[in-house]
């Protein structure tokens, strides 16, 4: 009942030409059949969003941004609002990706404002959560994820939360080639779903998609997707190669 969802996070990669070529290869390679069964999105850098959105116009592949600012307009130099992203054809937006939390220094309170602004602006936020290696080693995974979930979603009505996708990305698995085992991931996904049921209610928790991210590759995608509470994949490195990303999409059907 939860439609699988595969999203590619291009991070600060590609250029104008290679980004459009990658988008076109993904669009032409996502089998008609697969795309009906899987939600597919790509998240290019801000500056290429519009050209990628144009290239994907006639396809079923959606476009997402990697970040957003919570104000709608005004004197916020360098920032981009939900209405601007919507205007150029974005559907999704990542909020609180681990690199924004740990490289740029974003805190839960800011991330919460971004999630809320995305929904108000008509975008579908993907709230990213996940623990650092040291936190896992100190058995703090549940504590960290609980804080990120509760603070990231605070103040949102049931109706608004229904627009959210969660991405569980253990920081130690991102870009390291060290994937969480399907069992390790399922354990946290199940914990997140129970937490959502506690915060809202069971039907809502059952309807929210929870993606796994962190060194997802064509050869581990199917095993991860085989877990009951893993509803999709947020793919970094492997989303930059059309063949790998397409293989991951097929594994998610
Ligand atoms: P990775 O990145 O697949 O390269 O580990 C995942 C992510 O950061 O979303």
């Amino acid at each position: 009942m939860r439609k699988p969802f595969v999203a590619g996070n291009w991070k600060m990669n590609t250029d104008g030409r290679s980004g459009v070529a990658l988008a076109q290869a993904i669009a032409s390679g996502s089998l008609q059949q697969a795309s009906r069964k899987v939600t597919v999105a790509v998240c290019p850098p801000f500056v290429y969003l519009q050209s990628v959105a144009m290239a994907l116009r006639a396809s079923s592949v959606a476009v997402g941004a990697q970040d957003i600012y919570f104000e709608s307009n005004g004197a916020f130099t360098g920032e981009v609002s939900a209405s601007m992203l919507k205007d150029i054809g974005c559907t999704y937006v990542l909020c609180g990706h681990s690199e924004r939390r740990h490289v740029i220094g974003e805190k839960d309170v800011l991330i919460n404002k971004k999630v809320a602004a995305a929904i108000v602006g008509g975008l579908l936020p993907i709230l990213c959560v996940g623990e650092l290696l040291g936190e896992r080693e100190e058995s703090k995974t549940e504590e960290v994820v609980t804080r990120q979930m509760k603070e990231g979603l605070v103040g949102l009505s049931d109706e608004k939360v229904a627009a959210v996708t969660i991405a569980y990305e253990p920081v130690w698995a991102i870009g390291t080639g060290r994937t969480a085992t399907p069992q390790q991931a399922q354990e946290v996904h199940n914990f997140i779903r129970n937490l959502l049921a506690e915060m809202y209610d069971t039907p809502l928790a059952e309807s929210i998609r929870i993606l796994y991210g962190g060194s997802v590759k064509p050869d581990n995608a199917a095993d991860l997707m085989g877990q009951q509470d893993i509803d999709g994949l947020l793919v970094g490195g492997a989303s930059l190669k059309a063949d790998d990303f397409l293989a991951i999409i097929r594994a998610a059907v």
Side-chain angles (χ1 to χ4, degrees):
M1 52 166 181
R2 293 185 296 268
K3 188 176 178 182
F5 184 4
V6 177
N9 174 11
W10 295 1
K11 310 194 179 185
M12 200 172 73
N13 293 298
T14 69
D15 57 24
R17 194 181 301 183
S18 65
V20 166
L22 177 58
Q24 283 166 340
I26 291 164
S28 62
S30 357
L31 307 167
Q32 205 52 25
Q33 213 187 353
S35 62
R36 247 182 280 131
K37 293 185 187 154
V38 191
T39 305
V40 179
V42 294
C43 304
F46 277 135
V47 286
Y48 306 130
L49 277 170
Q50 191 161 20
S51 51
V52 167
M54 292 279 280
L56 294 175
R57 216 174 13 181
S59 80
S60 58
V61 180
V63 176
Q66 298 173 17
D67 189 28
I68 187 180
Y69 194 60
F70 63 86
E71 295 285 359
S72 50
N73 52 56
F76 304 102
T77 302
E79 297 296 339
V80 175
S81 70
S83 59
M84 293 171 183
L85 294 173
K86 185 96 184 138
D87 187 35
I88 57 153
C90 274
T91 305
Y92 295 95
V93 60
L94 302 179
C95 296
H97 185 274
S98 82
E99 284 139 26
R100 298 219 55 91
R101 290 179 188 268
H102 301 294
V103 181
I104 313 291
E106 286 189 10
K107 300 280 179 260
D108 291 303
V109 55
L110 174 62
I111 294 162
N112 173 246
K113 288 181 184 174
K114 293 185 175 194
V115 171
I119 299 169
V120 169
L123 298 172
L124 302 172
I126 301 172
L127 172 63
C128 304
V129 299
E131 81 286 3
L132 296 161
L133 180 59
E135 292 166 338
R136 173 160 284 258
E137 285 170 350
E138 288 171 34
S139 304
K140 287 190 176 153
T141 299
E142 293 184 356
E143 182 188 320
V144 170
V145 167
T146 300
R147 192 203 71 229
Q148 292 172 334
M149 288 286 297
K150 289 197 168 166
E151 295 189 12
L153 298 175
V154 71
L156 296 182
S157 63
D158 289 26
E159 201 186 318
K160 284 188 174 159
V161 168
V164 176
T165 297
I166 305 296
Y168 169 60
E169 300 199 296
V171 181
W172 47 273
I174 296 178
T176 58
R178 186 178 162 188
T179 327
T181 64
Q183 293 69 26
Q184 279 176 322
Q186 164 60 22
E187 217 170 88
V188 184
H189 280 234
N190 181 254
F191 175 79
I192 291 172
R193 197 169 314 280
N194 290 337
L195 183 63
L196 284 166
E198 215 176 88
M199 291 165 66
Y200 301 95
D201 58 39
T202 304
L204 188 52
E206 289 294 331
S207 71
I208 291 177
R209 291 185 287 192
I210 307 174
L211 318 185
Y212 168 80
S215 297
V216 174
K217 305 282 179 247
D219 62 2
N220 58 26
D223 281 349
L224 288 160
M225 285 303 295
Q227 301 297 312
Q228 193 182 341
D229 290 294
I230 300 184
D231 308 313
L233 302 164
L234 179 53
V235 187
S239 73
L240 294 170
K241 292 183 202 127
D243 288 348
D244 284 0
F245 192 58
L246 289 167
I248 291 169
I249 293 169
R250 283 193 295 273
V253 175

